[in-house]
Amino acid sequence: QVQLAESGGGPVEAGRSLRLSCVGSGFNMDRDCMAWFRQAPGKERDGEGVAVIATSFGGAKYADSVEGRFTISVDRNKKTVYLQMNNLKPEDSGTYFCAREPNSAMCSRSQQWFKFWGPGTQVSVSS
């Protein structure tokens, strides 16, 4: 059974950093597309992820709003995907979801491709 478990969220002041973790179980995480999506307070989850990574070779893509501030990475041995978030802004606040698409050839930021989702971890950035 595939499961994803996020952690690392919490309250933080603007300009500070957080690192989110997503631990996977029930699969190897060696040829997947893994992503982080955000759902802002009171809004629906964004249709495109803030960051995605192909776990086989590490290729990553980012939303324009986080390019240069966020870094997605994977440790395949630990079956863990990370999202390092630096210079956080209040608009980065929300619930962050980890997602998995088993076919890394479909490594797109669009949520329609992702079949497995974690329950989310909340990030609150104060100004």
Side-chain angles (χ1 to χ4, degrees):
Q1 181 181 2
V2 173
Q3 290 188 323
L4 301 171
E6 304 95 334
S7 63
V12 65
E13 293 180 346
R16 304 297 292 267
S17 299
L18 280 177
R19 188 176 80 159
L20 306 183
S21 299
C22 170
V23 179
S25 59
F27 66 104
N28 289 330
M29 201 178 281
D30 56 357
R31 288 176 297 197
D32 301 273
C33 182
M34 301 296 297
W36 288 94
F37 287 79
R38 177 175 62 219
Q39 182 174 6
K43 296 186 178 180
E44 293 187 354
R45 189 167 58 203
D46 291 341
E48 292 197 333
V50 296
V52 299
I53 188 167
T55 61
S56 59
F57 65 95
K61 302 174 186 177
Y62 298 91
D64 290 343
S65 61
V66 306
E67 184 81 52
R69 299 189 297 121
F70 289 12
T71 302
I72 188 170
S73 62
V74 60
D75 185 330
R76 291 185 290 178
N77 290 330
K78 294 183 178 180
K79 298 184 182 180
T80 301
V81 177
Y82 302 97
L83 185 66
Q84 177 66 44
M85 305 187 295
N86 297 330
N87 189 21
L88 281 160
K89 303 177 180 181
E91 53 264 40
D92 295 322
S93 297
T95 302
Y96 283 73
F97 297 91
C98 176
R100 174 198 179 218
E101 160 52 45
N103 183 357
S104 63
M106 303 302 297
C107 209
S108 161
R109 287 176 44 226
S110 177
Q111 70 169 345
Q112 66 177 319
W113 301 112
F114 290 86
K115 297 179 177 61
F116 301 96
W117 295 83
T121 185
Q122 290 194 344
V123 172
S124 178
V125 184
S126 60
S127 57

PDB file of all heavy atoms in Angstrom, residues 4 13 19 23 45 57-58 62 65 68 77-78 81-82 84 87 91 96-97 113 116 118 124 127:
ATOM      1  N   LEU A   4       2.243   8.258   1.757  1.00  0.00           N
ATOM      2  CA  LEU A   4       3.126   9.412   1.803  1.00  0.00           C
ATOM      3  C   LEU A   4       2.858  10.163   3.101  1.00  0.00           C
ATOM      4  O   LEU A   4       1.697  10.378   3.451  1.00  0.00           O
ATOM      5  CB  LEU A   4       2.878  10.334   0.607  1.00  0.00           C
ATOM      6  CG  LEU A   4       3.072   9.720  -0.775  1.00  0.00           C
ATOM      7  CD1 LEU A   4       2.576  10.679  -1.859  1.00  0.00           C
ATOM      8  CD2 LEU A   4       4.525   9.361  -1.013  1.00  0.00           C
ATOM      9  N   GLU A  13       8.659  33.104  10.691  1.00  0.00           N
ATOM     10  CA  GLU A  13       8.634  34.505  10.292  1.00  0.00           C
ATOM     11  C   GLU A  13       9.107  34.665   8.849  1.00  0.00           C
ATOM     12  O   GLU A  13       9.934  33.873   8.369  1.00  0.00           O
ATOM     13  CB  GLU A  13       9.518  35.334  11.218  1.00  0.00           C
ATOM     14  CG  GLU A  13       9.000  35.416  12.648  1.00  0.00           C
ATOM     15  CD  GLU A  13       9.900  36.244  13.538  1.00  0.00           C
ATOM     16  OE1 GLU A  13      11.045  36.535  13.134  1.00  0.00           O
ATOM     17  OE2 GLU A  13       9.463  36.608  14.637  1.00  0.00           O
ATOM     18  N   ARG A  19      12.316  23.279   6.125  1.00  0.00           N
ATOM     19  CA  ARG A  19      12.510  22.130   5.252  1.00  0.00           C
ATOM     20  C   ARG A  19      11.401  21.128   5.498  1.00  0.00           C
ATOM     21  O   ARG A  19      11.254  20.608   6.609  1.00  0.00           O
ATOM     22  CB  ARG A  19      13.872  21.466   5.465  1.00  0.00           C
ATOM     23  CG  ARG A  19      14.146  20.395   4.410  1.00  0.00           C
ATOM     24  CD  ARG A  19      15.511  19.774   4.519  1.00  0.00           C
ATOM     25  NE  ARG A  19      15.572  18.754   5.568  1.00  0.00           N
ATOM     26  CZ  ARG A  19      16.481  17.797   5.620  1.00  0.00           C
ATOM     27  NH1 ARG A  19      17.408  17.704   4.683  1.00  0.00           N
ATOM     28  NH2 ARG A  19      16.487  16.929   6.621  1.00  0.00           N
ATOM     29  N   VAL A  23       8.074  11.219   3.457  1.00  0.00           N
ATOM     30  CA  VAL A  23       8.562   9.848   3.487  1.00  0.00           C
ATOM     31  C   VAL A  23       7.564   8.948   2.783  1.00  0.00           C
ATOM     32  O   VAL A  23       6.368   8.971   3.106  1.00  0.00           O
ATOM     33  CB  VAL A  23       8.782   9.363   4.921  1.00  0.00           C
ATOM     34  CG1 VAL A  23       9.271   7.922   4.929  1.00  0.00           C
ATOM     35  CG2 VAL A  23       9.782  10.266   5.630  1.00  0.00           C
ATOM     36  N   ARG A  45      -6.634  23.674  -3.627  1.00  0.00           N
ATOM     37  CA  ARG A  45      -5.241  23.334  -3.894  1.00  0.00           C
ATOM     38  C   ARG A  45      -4.836  23.816  -5.280  1.00  0.00           C
ATOM     39  O   ARG A  45      -5.622  23.699  -6.234  1.00  0.00           O
ATOM     40  CB  ARG A  45      -5.048  21.822  -3.782  1.00  0.00           C
ATOM     41  CG  ARG A  45      -3.603  21.366  -3.834  1.00  0.00           C
ATOM     42  CD  ARG A  45      -3.479  19.921  -3.394  1.00  0.00           C
ATOM     43  NE  ARG A  45      -4.284  19.037  -4.222  1.00  0.00           N
ATOM     44  CZ  ARG A  45      -4.723  17.845  -3.828  1.00  0.00           C
ATOM     45  NH1 ARG A  45      -4.439  17.414  -2.609  1.00  0.00           N
ATOM     46  NH2 ARG A  45      -5.438  17.094  -4.643  1.00  0.00           N
ATOM     47  N   PHE A  57      16.681  10.723 -12.147  1.00  0.00           N
ATOM     48  CA  PHE A  57      17.852  11.523 -12.504  1.00  0.00           C
ATOM     49  C   PHE A  57      17.901  12.876 -11.834  1.00  0.00           C
ATOM     50  O   PHE A  57      18.857  13.631 -12.014  1.00  0.00           O
ATOM     51  CB  PHE A  57      17.947  11.705 -14.032  1.00  0.00           C
ATOM     52  CG  PHE A  57      16.825  12.503 -14.634  1.00  0.00           C
ATOM     53  CD1 PHE A  57      16.958  13.869 -14.852  1.00  0.00           C
ATOM     54  CD2 PHE A  57      15.629  11.897 -14.995  1.00  0.00           C
ATOM     55  CE1 PHE A  57      15.932  14.608 -15.424  1.00  0.00           C
ATOM     56  CE2 PHE A  57      14.593  12.632 -15.564  1.00  0.00           C
ATOM     57  CZ  PHE A  57      14.747  13.986 -15.777  1.00  0.00           C
ATOM     58  N   GLY A  58      16.908  13.221 -11.054  1.00  0.00           N
ATOM     59  CA  GLY A  58      16.954  14.438 -10.264  1.00  0.00           C
ATOM     60  C   GLY A  58      16.530  15.705 -10.968  1.00  0.00           C
ATOM     61  O   GLY A  58      16.685  16.796 -10.416  1.00  0.00           O
ATOM     62  N   TYR A  62      10.184  24.164 -11.189  1.00  0.00           N
ATOM     63  CA  TYR A  62       9.643  24.994 -10.133  1.00  0.00           C
ATOM     64  C   TYR A  62       8.624  25.984 -10.665  1.00  0.00           C
ATOM     65  O   TYR A  62       8.695  26.420 -11.822  1.00  0.00           O
ATOM     66  CB  TYR A  62      10.770  25.781  -9.452  1.00  0.00           C
ATOM     67  CG  TYR A  62      11.803  24.921  -8.783  1.00  0.00           C
ATOM     68  CD1 TYR A  62      12.938  24.507  -9.473  1.00  0.00           C
ATOM     69  CD2 TYR A  62      11.642  24.501  -7.466  1.00  0.00           C
ATOM     70  CE1 TYR A  62      13.892  23.699  -8.864  1.00  0.00           C
ATOM     71  CE2 TYR A  62      12.590  23.703  -6.846  1.00  0.00           C
ATOM     72  CZ  TYR A  62      13.706  23.312  -7.554  1.00  0.00           C
ATOM     73  OH  TYR A  62      14.634  22.507  -6.945  1.00  0.00           O
ATOM     74  N   SER A  65       7.005  31.512  -8.845  1.00  0.00           N
ATOM     75  CA  SER A  65       6.910  32.213  -7.570  1.00  0.00           C
ATOM     76  C   SER A  65       7.918  31.715  -6.536  1.00  0.00           C
ATOM     77  O   SER A  65       8.188  32.421  -5.554  1.00  0.00           O
ATOM     78  CB  SER A  65       5.494  32.074  -7.000  1.00  0.00           C
ATOM     79  OG  SER A  65       5.180  30.709  -6.774  1.00  0.00           O
ATOM     80  N   GLY A  68      14.422  29.873  -7.263  1.00  0.00           N
ATOM     81  CA  GLY A  68      15.519  30.541  -6.584  1.00  0.00           C
ATOM     82  C   GLY A  68      15.397  30.572  -5.074  1.00  0.00           C
ATOM     83  O   GLY A  68      16.366  30.881  -4.371  1.00  0.00           O
ATOM     84  N   ASN A  77      17.508   6.353  -1.015  1.00  0.00           N
ATOM     85  CA  ASN A  77      17.762   5.336   0.011  1.00  0.00           C
ATOM     86  C   ASN A  77      16.804   5.482   1.180  1.00  0.00           C
ATOM     87  O   ASN A  77      16.377   4.495   1.775  1.00  0.00           O
ATOM     88  CB  ASN A  77      19.206   5.430   0.503  1.00  0.00           C
ATOM     89  CG  ASN A  77      20.198   4.990  -0.549  1.00  0.00           C
ATOM     90  OD1 ASN A  77      19.883   4.143  -1.388  1.00  0.00           O
ATOM     91  ND2 ASN A  77      21.397   5.551  -0.518  1.00  0.00           N
ATOM     92  N   LYS A  78      16.483   6.722   1.520  1.00  0.00           N
ATOM     93  CA  LYS A  78      15.561   6.974   2.620  1.00  0.00           C
ATOM     94  C   LYS A  78      14.119   7.083   2.148  1.00  0.00           C
ATOM     95  O   LYS A  78      13.221   7.291   2.964  1.00  0.00           O
ATOM     96  CB  LYS A  78      15.960   8.263   3.339  1.00  0.00           C
ATOM     97  CG  LYS A  78      17.297   8.193   4.046  1.00  0.00           C
ATOM     98  CD  LYS A  78      17.583   9.493   4.785  1.00  0.00           C
ATOM     99  CE  LYS A  78      18.896   9.412   5.533  1.00  0.00           C
ATOM    100  NZ  LYS A  78      19.208  10.677   6.259  1.00  0.00           N
ATOM    101  N   VAL A  81      11.511  12.707   0.006  1.00  0.00           N
ATOM    102  CA  VAL A  81      11.615  13.903  -0.813  1.00  0.00           C
ATOM    103  C   VAL A  81      11.574  15.113   0.113  1.00  0.00           C
ATOM    104  O   VAL A  81      10.790  15.145   1.055  1.00  0.00           O
ATOM    105  CB  VAL A  81      10.464  13.994  -1.831  1.00  0.00           C
ATOM    106  CG1 VAL A  81      10.535  15.274  -2.631  1.00  0.00           C
ATOM    107  CG2 VAL A  81      10.500  12.799  -2.763  1.00  0.00           C
ATOM    108  N   TYR A  82      12.435  16.067  -0.178  1.00  0.00           N
ATOM    109  CA  TYR A  82      12.532  17.258   0.647  1.00  0.00           C
ATOM    110  C   TYR A  82      12.130  18.494  -0.160  1.00  0.00           C
ATOM    111  O   TYR A  82      12.290  18.541  -1.376  1.00  0.00           O
ATOM    112  CB  TYR A  82      13.974  17.449   1.142  1.00  0.00           C
ATOM    113  CG  TYR A  82      14.508  16.287   1.924  1.00  0.00           C
ATOM    114  CD1 TYR A  82      15.308  15.309   1.319  1.00  0.00           C
ATOM    115  CD2 TYR A  82      14.210  16.147   3.281  1.00  0.00           C
ATOM    116  CE1 TYR A  82      15.810  14.241   2.042  1.00  0.00           C
ATOM    117  CE2 TYR A  82      14.712  15.072   4.004  1.00  0.00           C
ATOM    118  CZ  TYR A  82      15.506  14.127   3.378  1.00  0.00           C
ATOM    119  OH  TYR A  82      15.982  13.065   4.100  1.00  0.00           O
ATOM    120  N   GLN A  84      13.238  22.306   0.500  1.00  0.00           N
ATOM    121  CA  GLN A  84      13.919  23.343   1.259  1.00  0.00           C
ATOM    122  C   GLN A  84      13.341  24.682   0.836  1.00  0.00           C
ATOM    123  O   GLN A  84      13.390  25.041  -0.347  1.00  0.00           O
ATOM    124  CB  GLN A  84      15.428  23.305   0.989  1.00  0.00           C
ATOM    125  CG  GLN A  84      16.215  24.386   1.689  1.00  0.00           C
ATOM    126  CD  GLN A  84      16.211  24.241   3.196  1.00  0.00           C
ATOM    127  OE1 GLN A  84      16.375  23.151   3.720  1.00  0.00           O
ATOM    128  NE2 GLN A  84      16.033  25.347   3.900  1.00  0.00           N
ATOM    129  N   ASN A  87      13.947  32.075   2.467  1.00  0.00           N
ATOM    130  CA  ASN A  87      13.394  33.423   2.279  1.00  0.00           C
ATOM    131  C   ASN A  87      11.869  33.363   2.133  1.00  0.00           C
ATOM    132  O   ASN A  87      11.290  33.880   1.167  1.00  0.00           O
ATOM    133  CB  ASN A  87      14.018  34.079   1.053  1.00  0.00           C
ATOM    134  CG  ASN A  87      13.656  35.538   0.936  1.00  0.00           C
ATOM    135  OD1 ASN A  87      13.277  36.192   1.908  1.00  0.00           O
ATOM    136  ND2 ASN A  87      13.756  36.072  -0.287  1.00  0.00           N
ATOM    137  N   GLU A  91       2.882  34.892   1.479  1.00  0.00           N
ATOM    138  CA  GLU A  91       2.100  34.230   0.439  1.00  0.00           C
ATOM    139  C   GLU A  91       2.498  32.773   0.223  1.00  0.00           C
ATOM    140  O   GLU A  91       1.834  32.055  -0.529  1.00  0.00           O
ATOM    141  CB  GLU A  91       2.187  35.001  -0.886  1.00  0.00           C
ATOM    142  CG  GLU A  91       3.592  35.291  -1.365  1.00  0.00           C
ATOM    143  CD  GLU A  91       4.070  36.676  -0.964  1.00  0.00           C
ATOM    144  OE1 GLU A  91       3.786  37.105   0.177  1.00  0.00           O
ATOM    145  OE2 GLU A  91       4.747  37.319  -1.798  1.00  0.00           O
ATOM    146  N   TYR A  96       0.928  22.118   2.567  1.00  0.00           N
ATOM    147  CA  TYR A  96       1.773  21.559   1.520  1.00  0.00           C
ATOM    148  C   TYR A  96       1.570  20.053   1.448  1.00  0.00           C
ATOM    149  O   TYR A  96       1.680  19.357   2.472  1.00  0.00           O
ATOM    150  CB  TYR A  96       3.239  21.895   1.785  1.00  0.00           C
ATOM    151  CG  TYR A  96       3.581  23.314   1.417  1.00  0.00           C
ATOM    152  CD1 TYR A  96       3.148  24.381   2.205  1.00  0.00           C
ATOM    153  CD2 TYR A  96       4.312  23.602   0.269  1.00  0.00           C
ATOM    154  CE1 TYR A  96       3.432  25.689   1.861  1.00  0.00           C
ATOM    155  CE2 TYR A  96       4.611  24.912  -0.086  1.00  0.00           C
ATOM    156  CZ  TYR A  96       4.160  25.945   0.712  1.00  0.00           C
ATOM    157  OH  TYR A  96       4.453  27.245   0.356  1.00  0.00           O
ATOM    158  N   PHE A  97       1.256  19.600   0.247  1.00  0.00           N
ATOM    159  CA  PHE A  97       0.991  18.184   0.008  1.00  0.00           C
ATOM    160  C   PHE A  97       2.102  17.580  -0.837  1.00  0.00           C
ATOM    161  O   PHE A  97       2.542  18.177  -1.822  1.00  0.00           O
ATOM    162  CB  PHE A  97      -0.335  18.003  -0.738  1.00  0.00           C
ATOM    163  CG  PHE A  97      -1.539  18.473   0.014  1.00  0.00           C
ATOM    164  CD1 PHE A  97      -2.001  19.770  -0.116  1.00  0.00           C
ATOM    165  CD2 PHE A  97      -2.239  17.597   0.848  1.00  0.00           C
ATOM    166  CE1 PHE A  97      -3.123  20.214   0.566  1.00  0.00           C
ATOM    167  CE2 PHE A  97      -3.363  18.027   1.540  1.00  0.00           C
ATOM    168  CZ  PHE A  97      -3.802  19.331   1.402  1.00  0.00           C
ATOM    169  N   TRP A 113      -1.837  14.524 -13.075  1.00  0.00           N
ATOM    170  CA  TRP A 113      -1.047  13.324 -13.326  1.00  0.00           C
ATOM    171  C   TRP A 113      -0.738  12.541 -12.058  1.00  0.00           C
ATOM    172  O   TRP A 113      -0.292  11.411 -12.130  1.00  0.00           O
ATOM    173  CB  TRP A 113       0.259  13.686 -14.025  1.00  0.00           C
ATOM    174  CG  TRP A 113       0.042  14.378 -15.331  1.00  0.00           C
ATOM    175  CD1 TRP A 113       0.332  15.681 -15.639  1.00  0.00           C
ATOM    176  CD2 TRP A 113      -0.549  13.819 -16.510  1.00  0.00           C
ATOM    177  NE1 TRP A 113      -0.031  15.955 -16.940  1.00  0.00           N
ATOM    178  CE2 TRP A 113      -0.567  14.836 -17.491  1.00  0.00           C
ATOM    179  CE3 TRP A 113      -1.053  12.557 -16.825  1.00  0.00           C
ATOM    180  CZ2 TRP A 113      -1.075  14.631 -18.765  1.00  0.00           C
ATOM    181  CZ3 TRP A 113      -1.557  12.347 -18.105  1.00  0.00           C
ATOM    182  CH2 TRP A 113      -1.565  13.383 -19.046  1.00  0.00           C
ATOM    183  N   PHE A 116      -1.077   9.581  -6.115  1.00  0.00           N
ATOM    184  CA  PHE A 116      -0.992   9.327  -4.686  1.00  0.00           C
ATOM    185  C   PHE A 116      -0.659  10.634  -3.966  1.00  0.00           C
ATOM    186  O   PHE A 116       0.215  11.382  -4.408  1.00  0.00           O
ATOM    187  CB  PHE A 116       0.077   8.270  -4.382  1.00  0.00           C
ATOM    188  CG  PHE A 116      -0.174   6.961  -5.069  1.00  0.00           C
ATOM    189  CD1 PHE A 116       0.442   6.675  -6.280  1.00  0.00           C
ATOM    190  CD2 PHE A 116      -1.026   6.023  -4.514  1.00  0.00           C
ATOM    191  CE1 PHE A 116       0.209   5.471  -6.930  1.00  0.00           C
ATOM    192  CE2 PHE A 116      -1.264   4.813  -5.147  1.00  0.00           C
ATOM    193  CZ  PHE A 116      -0.652   4.536  -6.360  1.00  0.00           C
ATOM    194  N   GLY A 118      -0.232  12.697   0.025  1.00  0.00           N
ATOM    195  CA  GLY A 118      -0.133  12.668   1.477  1.00  0.00           C
ATOM    196  C   GLY A 118      -1.204  13.548   2.094  1.00  0.00           C
ATOM    197  O   GLY A 118      -1.903  14.278   1.385  1.00  0.00           O
ATOM    198  N   SER A 124       2.888  28.295   8.007  1.00  0.00           N
ATOM    199  CA  SER A 124       2.312  29.604   8.265  1.00  0.00           C
ATOM    200  C   SER A 124       3.443  30.619   8.383  1.00  0.00           C
ATOM    201  O   SER A 124       4.245  30.542   9.319  1.00  0.00           O
ATOM    202  CB  SER A 124       1.477  29.582   9.544  1.00  0.00           C
ATOM    203  OG  SER A 124       0.944  30.875   9.814  1.00  0.00           O
ATOM    204  N   SER A 127       4.376  37.997   8.714  1.00  0.00           N
ATOM    205  CA  SER A 127       5.162  39.147   8.228  1.00  0.00           C
ATOM    206  C   SER A 127       5.765  39.935   9.381  1.00  0.00           C
ATOM    207  O   SER A 127       5.444  39.718  10.539  1.00  0.00           O
ATOM    208  CB  SER A 127       4.258  40.056   7.389  1.00  0.00           C
ATOM    209  OG  SER A 127       3.153  40.473   8.148  1.00  0.00           O
TER     210      SER A 127
END
